[in-house]
Amino acid sequence: MSIPSRTALIDHLVRTRIAGDVATPRENNLDHYRKLANGDRHYWFGLEFGDRWTDEQDVLAVMAERCGVSDDLSHRAGQDTIDPELTVAALDRMAAVLRKAAAGRQRVLFATGHPGGLLDVHRATATALREAGCEIVVIPDGLTADEGYVFQFADVAVFERGATLWHTHSPAPMAAILDGLAREGRPLPDLVVADHGWAGCAAQRGLDAVGYADSNDPALFLAEAEGTLQVAVPLDDHVLSPRFYDPLTAYLLGAAGLAAPRA
């Protein structure tokens, strides 16, 4: 796939609803912001916020700034948005991290809690970094978490239960990987590229980490605001077709100076 221009990518993001008027409704966004502020750790994604984000309005302010949701406190239901300009700006920041990883031939771990949408984004990025000389971390065998299994598929760590890849926000699968590497005496990753609790857990443990996050998943944006996570890319993480993410991936790898994914 050819690398789209910034303008072409923004048009594509809006047309496919990866950004712009996204499918996640306003009431769902606000519900998650409230639950995070109320201390529901399911929405903390493995991060530790203490009492720093106990006001829903403070969470909303960060989400408006970094994701592009409406900052109108009276807007309680209906359509909400992700600003495509913020999506592309975050992709540029992530590209700088990937460029650094390639230059240093770093050890990089990829993981996703949203295999239905983002698995191939991570796979293509892993392939490009391997071709640039990076080591893609191979996770230990036999890992379990949350009554399921943690294994690697196409260079990407995923959570499996009942012979099915699961959507999960839990940090436990990433914790299992990092603890497993430590038990085997193997070095931890120099960089983690992930989403959901996989990215949050890695960042909380002090690893360099970048991730993708939806408008109803505020934790990673708060972590970026606090400097715990290096980059949080705002996007709808499960749109109609996973192929809709291909131009985004091509742009990311092009901006990083890596080979665009091959068809």
Side-chain angles (χ1 to χ4, degrees):
M1 172 175 286
S2 61
I3 299 170
S5 67
R6 183 186 186 91
T7 299
L9 178 60
I10 288 173
D11 289 345
H12 172 79
L13 296 176
V14 172
R15 185 171 61 255
T16 57
R17 302 186 74 185
I18 294 173
D21 288 342
V22 293
T24 308
R26 176 68 167 187
E27 49 267 45
N28 185 256
N29 285 340
L30 295 180
D31 179 62
H32 287 198
Y33 304 167
R34 184 181 313 110
K35 288 176 177 176
L36 182 146
N38 288 339
D40 187 335
R41 287 180 174 267
H42 175 76
Y43 298 92
W44 286 22
F45 285 14
L47 293 149
E48 293 297 331
F49 293 122
D51 59 0
R52 297 187 300 280
W53 298 100
T54 57
D55 188 330
E56 175 190 350
Q57 293 185 18
D58 291 340
V59 178
L60 175 60
V62 171
M63 294 302 293
E65 176 189 16
R66 294 181 178 268
C67 184
V69 302
S70 171
D71 63 358
D72 182 357
L73 295 175
S74 67
H75 179 36
R76 308 302 297 178
Q79 183 67 56
D80 213 341
T81 59
I82 292 175
D83 185 341
E85 294 280 357
L86 293 178
T87 302
V88 177
L91 288 172
D92 288 336
R93 297 196 302 275
M94 183 182 282
V97 174
L98 297 180
R99 184 185 293 271
K100 178 182 176 182
R105 296 177 179 268
Q106 292 181 351
R107 297 182 305 277
V108 186
L109 173 64
F110 288 85
T112 186
H114 228 307
L118 299 179
L119 179 61
D120 211 41
V121 176
H122 290 301
R123 178 207 59 78
T125 309
T127 297
L129 282 178
R130 176 183 284 111
E131 291 177 352
C134 288
E135 174 189 344
I136 306 305
V137 174
V138 176
I139 70 172
D141 289 329
L143 298 179
T144 60
D146 295 334
E147 301 181 348
Y149 298 92
V150 185
F151 68 97
Q152 215 158 10
F153 179 74
D155 287 327
V156 185
V158 291
F159 178 69
E160 184 266 348
R161 187 189 292 170
T164 301
L165 302 187
W166 276 55
H167 169 214
T168 178
H169 289 183
S170 173
M174 177 58 75
I177 294 172
L178 300 179
D179 292 344
L181 291 171
R183 281 195 304 272
E184 293 184 356
R186 294 168 55 194
L188 295 178
D190 299 310
L191 175 66
V192 173
V193 182
D195 48 68
H196 288 176
W198 305 77
C201 176
Q204 184 61 42
R205 292 202 181 191
L207 299 176
D208 286 348
V210 297
Y212 301 94
D214 209 329
S215 60
N216 62 351
D217 294 333
L220 296 189
F221 296 103
L222 300 182
E224 183 186 29
E226 293 189 332
T228 307
L229 185 81
Q230 289 191 320
V231 181
V233 177
L235 47 67
D236 187 318
D237 52 18
H238 196 114
V239 292
L240 183 62
S241 169
R243 294 278 65 82
F244 288 167
Y245 297 103
D246 288 351
L248 177 151
T249 308
Y251 179 91
L252 172 67
L253 299 184
L258 303 169
R262 298 185 179 91

